[in-house]
Amino acid sequence: MRYRSAMTTKPFPFLIIDPATRRVSLDGRDPAFYRDPNPVYAALHAHCPTFWWEEQRQWTFTGYDAVNGLLRDRRFGRQILHIASREELGLPEPSPHLKNFDAAEAWSLLELEPPEHTRLRTLVNRAFVSRQIEKLTPEISALCHETIDRFEKDGRVELLSAFADILPVTMIARMIGIPDAMGPQLLKWSHAYVRMYMFGRTRADEDAADKAAAEFSDYVRGVIAERRENPRDDLLTHMIHTEHRGQLLTDDELVSTTIVLLNAGHEATVHQIGNAVRTILESGLDPARLFAEAKTTERTVEECLRISAPVHIFQRWALEDAEIDGVPLKRGDKVAMILAAANLDPKKFSDPLVFRPERDEGANLSFGAGIHFCIGAPLARLELNIALPILFRRLPGLRIAEKPVVKDVYHFHGLEALRLEW
């Protein structure tokens, strides 16, 4: 059936739902979808929260309980080739034109399962626990003020390039031990790199990602060599010199881990700063009240993460036969979980499409769950809890100057630009 939105009374021409067979046709590349996916997620919740996605050819889950459960279910994992061969699974051989990208991803925390995941995460985790991250509060605050100082007098700004891009990439680079001056180059590599994860990527996207991976890896190897000669008090030195059960990380493991930390440490937070500012300004609510104290600030940040998540989809391989929400899955099947849709499940959140900063109905899933819960979540949350109040206090009367345009990088969700004035 074609579903007509009860909210807009306009059809979604890119969406066909058949509740009887739990099959859905949804063009994830259609701007009408990725620019405003929440009404579509509402339609899926109403008619078919678990469905076979025709275009992606995989079972997809949007319900909060199903997504939360799958993220924690050890019968599902980020990798499958540690227990089955490509031939057995019918998977093609790696593409030669992606050899540098594949090499950079080979030891990524995002892609590994225990015991390798446990070993690598143990070495990194200490730097990202909340008590360590909270020590960065003065530095984050100072960087926010320094950045705003550069454009406050102008009366208008493109927020992503002038503020959102700068804060997260500078902080994660400093933690790892990368000079501030490398920030613009890190952003270029990262933007090319993550287009590998978007729907409908092209050969040009793949070539650009592979080139970025090669250059990124070469740069990191150079920094690793320098840190071996001249250790410092930074995360990279810690990873180089710390043993886990008598083992040191190899250079390949160090490269993959550093790249994933640099990418994940800023890409989603950049999107979320833009998403949150837009959400707050479009809500008509008074920012002074939203950020009046630590508790209201925290709840505002969490509600922004819930209703405008920066990362929408995670995928898992079935490592053994299983049944989820009545769907029989076989070993080697790949499933998708739409985190952003789970955050809008009406069974979990009342009036889920409404921005309500006072909401206290449980945790959102924007950072995932289980062993792959985002290691940088404490850092991202701290940055948002510091940056948003400072931004709105420093720029009273802040308002949107031009209608924002959403980037065409679903399953990430962020803006091309956010032009503001005050």
Side-chain angles (χ1 to χ4, degrees):
M1 73 177 211
R2 286 194 178 273
Y3 177 70
R4 294 178 66 88
S5 168
M7 295 181 296
T8 64
T9 69
K10 295 180 181 179
F12 299 131
F14 48 82
L15 175 66
I16 301 173
I17 301 176
D18 185 348
T21 62
R22 302 173 98 175
R23 301 182 88 82
V24 167
S25 175
L26 170 60
D27 183 359
R29 297 167 300 177
D30 192 312
F33 167 58
Y34 66 71
R35 288 175 182 167
D36 188 18
N38 286 5
V40 176
Y41 295 155
L44 292 169
H45 280 303
H47 293 272
C48 208
T50 295
F51 60 91
W52 174 261
W53 193 336
E54 297 282 3
E55 286 78 0
Q56 304 307 315
R57 301 195 59 76
Q58 61 186 180
W59 282 100
T60 304
F61 299 83
T62 67
Y64 185 95
D65 289 342
V67 170
N68 189 36
L70 273 165
L71 289 168
R72 302 170 188 274
D73 194 329
R74 299 305 304 131
R75 296 174 298 172
F76 295 82
R78 285 292 298 163
Q79 64 177 171
I80 187 80
L81 294 179
H82 62 309
I83 63 168
S85 67
R86 289 180 177 275
E87 184 178 18
E88 180 184 351
L89 297 169
L91 297 177
E93 290 300 311
S95 300
H97 71 284
L98 291 175
K99 65 178 182 179
N100 294 301
F101 180 85
D102 289 342
E105 287 285 279
W107 295 98
S108 168
L109 280 167
L110 295 177
E111 303 298 332
L112 295 176
E113 289 299 302
E116 288 83 1
H117 176 271
T118 306
R119 178 170 60 91
L120 291 176
R121 183 150 179 152
T122 298
L123 285 171
V124 176
N125 195 55
R126 188 176 72 178
F128 288 92
V129 294
S130 295
R131 64 180 178 276
Q132 290 293 115
I133 292 298
E134 286 167 6
K135 295 177 182 178
L136 299 173
T137 296
E139 188 173 357
I140 295 171
S141 179
L143 181 58
C144 288
H145 284 292
E146 291 167 12
T147 306
I148 295 171
D149 285 344
R150 297 173 193 152
F151 60 77
E152 181 182 21
K153 65 182 182 301
D154 299 334
R156 60 190 298 117
V157 71
E158 195 293 290
L159 191 73
L160 300 189
S161 59
F163 184 78
D165 275 347
I166 295 170
L167 172 63
V169 74
T170 302
M171 290 309 304
I172 191 62
R174 288 178 181 178
M175 286 181 66
I176 291 172
I178 305 295
D180 288 4
M182 282 298 296
Q185 182 60 67
L186 294 175
L187 286 169
K188 290 177 183 177
W189 283 332
S190 180
H191 292 337
Y193 201 95
V194 300
R195 289 192 76 87
M196 284 292 292
Y197 305 116
M198 78 173 200
F199 283 22
R201 74 187 191 210
T202 65
R203 174 61 188 260
D205 292 324
E206 294 179 348
D207 290 340
D210 195 69
K211 182 175 183 290
E215 294 173 358
F216 208 164
S217 298
D218 286 346
Y219 172 75
V220 172
R221 288 184 192 278
V223 180
I224 290 169
E226 195 276 332
R227 285 298 184 281
R228 283 206 167 97
E229 292 293 321
N230 301 292
R232 299 183 190 177
D233 183 19
D234 57 36
L235 180 54
L236 185 54
T237 300
H238 165 75
M239 291 192 296
I240 290 170
H241 294 284
T242 302
E243 295 183 2
H244 178 70
R245 296 183 178 177
Q247 285 186 303
L248 293 170
L249 293 183
T250 67
D251 278 12
D252 287 345
E253 290 170 336
L254 286 166
V255 168
S256 285
T257 304
T258 302
I259 288 177
V260 76
L261 289 175
L262 283 166
N263 284 346
H266 79 273
E267 191 78 34
T269 310
V270 169
H271 291 327
Q272 191 55 27
I273 291 173
N275 292 350
V277 171
R278 178 191 185 184
T279 297
I280 291 165
L281 291 176
E282 290 183 343
S283 74
L285 299 177
D286 181 4
R289 295 186 64 182
L290 299 182
F291 301 118
E293 56 186 70
K295 189 62 179 178
T296 59
T297 295
E298 180 182 336
R299 286 198 172 172
T300 298
V301 167
E302 293 305 308
E303 179 68 348
C304 288
L305 283 164
R306 184 195 70 83
I307 203 167
S308 57
V311 180
H312 280 215
I313 291 181
F314 276 154
Q315 296 180 320
R316 293 287 188 273
W317 293 98
L319 305 180
E320 59 184 77
D321 293 355
E323 183 175 308
I324 305 294
D325 193 21
V327 176
L329 300 165
K330 294 191 175 299
R331 179 176 181 260
D333 287 346
K334 202 170 191 180
V335 300
M337 300 154 288
I338 306 183
L339 310 185
N343 288 342
L344 303 176
D345 188 342
K347 294 180 180 177
K348 176 68 175 178
F349 301 102
S350 59
D351 298 321
L353 298 189
V354 177
F355 177 64
R356 287 190 0 218
E358 75 281 2
R359 190 186 299 273
D360 186 17
E361 297 175 323
N364 64 73
L365 295 177
S366 296
F367 291 111
I371 68 166
H372 286 287
F373 178 79
C374 177
I375 196 170
L379 176 60
R381 282 189 160 115
L382 183 64
E383 289 171 341
L384 291 164
N385 275 271
I386 293 173
L388 294 176
I390 289 175
L391 188 70
F392 280 98
R393 288 190 197 113
R394 288 286 304 271
L395 306 173
L398 196 62
R399 58 189 179 272
I400 295 174
E402 296 179 19
K403 181 177 175 59
V405 176
V406 176
K407 276 188 172 182
D408 64 337
V409 289
Y410 189 83
H411 56 86
F412 288 100
H413 185 73
L415 304 175
E416 286 281 0
L418 182 57
R419 292 181 172 81
L420 307 173
E421 57 188 16
W422 54 93

